[in-house]
C-alpha cells in the first residue's frame, strides 16, 4: 500500500499482488482488483488497484522470469515456506527478498532446503512489525489502527554461522545506493505516510526478536495450560515465577550455545540476562493485566497455535546440538495435548 502510494508510481502501481490460489485471484478480480485501506485515526478511506497473480511470472516462451523484489508476509511459518516454494525458480542471487514477521526457524529452513549453497541465496531482509496495527475487516479490506506503524528491518547474512557483528550503517552500506528494494522502503519512510521504517543491523534486531520470543514462549503456553481468561491471572499462582525462571534459563543456555556469535554483539550480555528477562516477563503480566495471549485466543477458536515456533524452536535447536531442553519440551508437549483435547471436546457431540 505504501509503495503503491509513492509519487514515482503510475496510475496502476508497478506492484503485483501475489495471491495464494486461482480462486482467491478470481475473488480479487471481482472486487475491481482493489484493496481498501481505512485509517481510523485520520478517518480516511483509500482504494488501490493492483495487478495480481497467483503463479510465477513467465515469458511467452514459457520460461520462468526472475523477480527483482519479492515481499512475503504470512501468519504461519509453514505458509512462508510453501509460498516461497512456488516462486523459488524466480529467485536468484540478485533478487531482493523481504520476509515480514517470519517465525524463528524459517530462515534456517530456507537456507537448508531451498538455497543450500550460500552463493545461490538472494539478498535476504527481515522486517518486524506489530501485527495489531492493522486489522483485516474483510478479505480485501484493511483498517489501520495506528498513526504510525513501526517496521524494523535488517539484512540477513548469506551465511548465518560465520556472521560477524557490524553496526547498522556498516551492514547496510553495500546496499545503500544500489538496492532497489531498500530505495523504495526509504522513500516510504520519508513520505508523510503510515509506515515508519527503522533500519537495524542483523545482530541488533536478532537480540530484540529473541527477547520477544522468550517472553511469548513463557506467557503464551502457561495461559493455555492454566486456562487463563487474562494474562495477569498467572500472577495469582505462587510458583509461576519459578517456572518462568526455569524456562528462561534453559532458553538462554540453548541460544548462547547454538549461536556462538552472540557474544560479539554489544549489549548481548544485558539483553540475554536471565534475571532481567524473568523480571520483564513478570512485568509484562502486570502491565497487560486484561490482555490475553495469542496462543490462548487461537486455542479458544480451535485454530492451530504457534507453539512449534515458540518453545518448539528451542526444542529443535537443542536436539540439533544435543542440549538439555526438558522444561521447554515438556511445556510444548503439554500445550499440544491441551489444544488437541480442547478441539476434540468442542467437536464431539457428547460434550455439547
Amino acid at each position: 500500500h505504501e509503495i503503491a502510494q509513492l509519487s514515482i508510481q503510475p496510475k496502476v502501481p508497478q506492484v503485483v499482488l501475489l495471491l495464494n490460489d486461482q480462486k482467491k485471484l478470481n475473488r480479487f478480480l471481482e472486487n475491481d482488483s482493489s484493496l481498501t485501506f481505512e485509517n481510523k485515526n485520520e478517518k480516511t478511506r483509500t482504494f488501490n488497484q493492483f495487478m495480481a497473480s497467483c503463479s510465477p511470472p513467465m515469458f511467452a516462451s514459457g520460461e520462468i522470469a526472475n523477480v527483482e523484489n519479492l515481499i512475503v508476509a504470512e501468519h504461519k511459518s509453514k505458509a512462508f515456506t510453501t509460498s516461497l516454494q512456488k516462486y523459488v525458480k524466480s529467485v536468484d542471487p540478485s533478487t531482493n527478498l523481504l520476509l515480514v514477521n517470519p517465525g524463528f526457524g524459517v530462515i534456517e529452513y530456507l537456507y537448508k532446503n531451498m538455497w543450500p549453497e550460500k552463493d545461490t541465496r538472494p539478498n535476504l531482509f527481515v522486517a518486524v512489525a506489530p501485527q495489531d496495527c492493522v486489522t483485516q475487516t474483510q478479505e480485501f479490506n484493511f483498517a489501520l489502527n495506528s498513526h504510525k506503524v513501526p517496521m524494523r528491518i535488517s539484512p540477513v547474512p548469506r551465511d548465518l554461522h560465520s556472521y560477524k557483528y557490524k553496526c547498522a550503517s556498516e551492514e547496510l552500506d553495500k546496499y545503500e545506493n544500489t538496492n532497489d528494494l531498500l530505495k523504495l522502503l526509504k522513500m516510504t519512510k520519508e513520505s508523510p505516510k503510515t509506515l515508519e521504517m527503522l533500519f537495524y543491523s542483523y545482530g541488533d534486531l536478532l537480540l530484540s526478536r529473541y527477547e520477544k520470543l522468550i517472553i511469548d514462549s513463557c506467557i503464551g503456553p502457561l495461559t493455555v495450560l492454566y486456562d487463563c481468561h487474562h494474562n495477569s491471572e498467572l500472577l495469582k499462582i505462587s510458583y509461576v515465577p519459578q517456572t518462568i525462571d526455569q524456562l528462561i534459563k534453559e532458553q538462554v543456555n540453548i541460544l548462547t550455545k547454538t549461536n556462538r556469535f552472540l557474544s560479539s554483539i554489544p549489549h548481548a550480555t544485558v539483553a540475554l540476562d536471565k534475571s532481567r528477562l524473568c523480571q520483564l516477563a513478570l512485568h509484562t503480566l502486570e502491565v497487560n493485566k486484561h490482555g490475553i495471549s495469542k496462543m490462548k485466543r487461537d486455542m479458544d477458536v480451535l485454530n492451530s497455535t504457534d507453539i512449534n515456533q515458540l518453545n518448539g524452536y528451542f526444542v529443535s535447536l537443542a536436539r540439533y546440538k544435543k542440549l538439555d531442553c526438558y522444561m521447554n519440551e515438556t511445556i510444548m508437549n503439554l500445550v499440544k495435548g491441551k489444544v488437541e483435547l480442547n478441539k476434540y471436546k468442542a467437536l464431539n457431540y457428547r460434550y455439547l
Side-chain angles (χ1 to χ4, degrees):
H1 173 64
E2 290 293 318
I3 292 173
Q5 294 288 315
L6 293 175
S7 59
I8 62 170
Q9 294 286 358
K11 187 173 182 180
V12 177
Q14 291 180 322
V15 177
V16 180
L17 189 64
L18 300 177
L19 301 170
N20 300 91
D21 51 49
Q22 186 64 49
K23 289 182 179 179
K24 189 162 188 174
L25 177 60
N26 291 340
R27 293 196 298 273
F28 180 71
L29 297 174
E30 291 167 3
N31 192 56
D32 199 26
S33 299
S34 66
L35 299 180
T36 302
F37 294 88
E38 179 186 358
N39 192 319
K40 290 186 175 181
N41 294 294
E42 298 179 5
K43 297 181 180 179
T44 58
R45 185 188 293 263
T46 58
F47 302 86
N48 273 13
Q49 283 190 310
F50 289 91
M51 294 180 285
S53 176
C54 63
S55 56
M58 290 187 182
F59 294 110
S61 62
E63 182 185 356
I64 293 178
N66 170 255
V67 174
E68 294 179 3
N69 300 300
L70 180 62
I71 299 174
V72 183
E74 294 283 2
H75 292 295
K76 300 290 183 182
S77 293
K78 190 171 183 180
F80 267 99
T81 56
T82 303
S83 297
L84 273 169
Q85 188 67 55
K86 187 191 296 187
Y87 297 95
V88 68
K89 291 183 179 179
S90 297
V91 175
D92 65 19
S94 67
T95 300
N96 301 311
L97 174 58
L98 175 66
L99 305 182
V100 182
N101 289 337
F104 276 96
V106 168
I107 294 171
E108 291 90 338
Y109 179 90
L110 296 178
Y111 277 6
K112 180 181 178 181
N113 296 281
M114 292 191 190
W115 303 291
E117 300 296 328
K118 68 177 183 179
D119 293 337
T120 65
R121 294 167 183 168
N123 297 318
L124 187 59
F125 300 88
V126 62
V128 179
Q131 294 177 326
D132 57 356
C133 290
V134 179
T135 305
Q136 186 173 6
T137 54
Q138 295 180 36
E139 187 173 24
F140 303 113
N141 290 26
F142 301 87
L144 305 174
N145 304 319
S146 303
H147 287 291
K148 285 287 184 181
V149 179
M151 181 171 282
R152 297 175 295 161
I153 297 175
S154 81
V156 178
R158 278 189 162 90
D159 186 355
L160 297 175
H161 300 294
S162 63
Y163 171 70
K164 293 182 180 179
Y165 176 82
K166 293 180 182 178
C167 65
S169 59
E170 288 183 284
E171 282 195 16
L172 291 165
D173 185 54
K174 62 179 178 179
Y175 304 111
E176 192 73 29
N177 300 312
T178 58
N179 189 281
D180 292 335
L181 181 59
L182 277 191
K183 285 180 183 178
L184 286 173
L185 296 177
K186 285 188 175 184
M187 290 175 74
T188 64
K189 177 183 177 181
E190 293 165 2
S191 63
K193 300 290 183 180
T194 306
L195 275 179
E196 182 182 10
M197 294 294 178
L198 305 167
F199 295 95
Y200 285 71
S201 71
Y202 173 73
D204 290 334
L205 186 57
L206 183 65
L207 286 179
S208 176
R209 294 178 69 211
Y210 273 157
E211 181 182 280
K212 187 177 187 305
L213 172 70
I214 289 170
I215 301 304
D216 288 348
S217 61
C218 288
I219 293 176
L222 293 182
T223 59
V224 166
L225 294 177
Y226 290 113
D227 203 20
C228 296
H229 293 290
H230 301 292
N231 291 340
S232 59
E233 289 176 4
L234 290 176
L235 295 172
K236 306 295 183 183
I237 305 170
S238 58
Y239 49 83
V240 158
Q242 181 184 353
T243 303
I244 289 176
D245 181 63
Q246 290 174 329
L247 279 169
I248 288 176
K249 283 181 179 177
E250 191 174 86
Q251 291 165 355
V252 171
N253 181 59
I254 291 169
L255 290 178
T256 53
K257 288 187 176 178
T258 54
N259 297 286
R260 298 292 185 182
F261 64 82
L262 286 177
S263 59
S264 68
I265 302 176
H267 313 302
T269 305
V270 175
L272 296 177
D273 181 77
K274 299 164 190 174
S275 298
R276 187 191 75 85
L277 289 168
C278 186
Q279 290 300 315
L280 180 59
L282 297 175
H283 177 69
T284 302
L285 292 175
E286 292 174 356
V287 171
N288 192 18
K289 287 185 178 180
H290 302 295
I292 187 63
S293 70
K294 179 180 180 298
M295 190 177 292
K296 179 63 165 59
R297 293 198 306 271
D298 284 340
M299 186 188 76
D300 289 344
V301 296
L302 307 183
N303 285 340
S304 58
T305 69
D306 52 0
I307 188 67
N308 286 332
Q309 287 76 55
L310 296 176
N311 303 76
Y313 176 69
F314 295 104
V315 173
S316 63
L317 287 180
R319 285 176 180 168
Y320 180 68
K321 290 288 187 177
K322 297 182 179 179
L323 301 172
D324 177 52
C325 195
Y326 175 77
M327 278 293 295
N328 282 273
E329 188 165 13
T330 301
I331 292 291
M332 179 185 73
N333 291 334
L334 288 173
V335 168
K336 286 184 176 181
K338 174 89 173 182
V339 171
E340 190 177 342
L341 183 59
N342 186 66
K343 188 175 290 188
Y344 169 78
K345 287 181 177 181
L347 300 177
N348 191 312
Y349 72 92
R350 289 191 176 91
Y351 291 90
L352 298 177

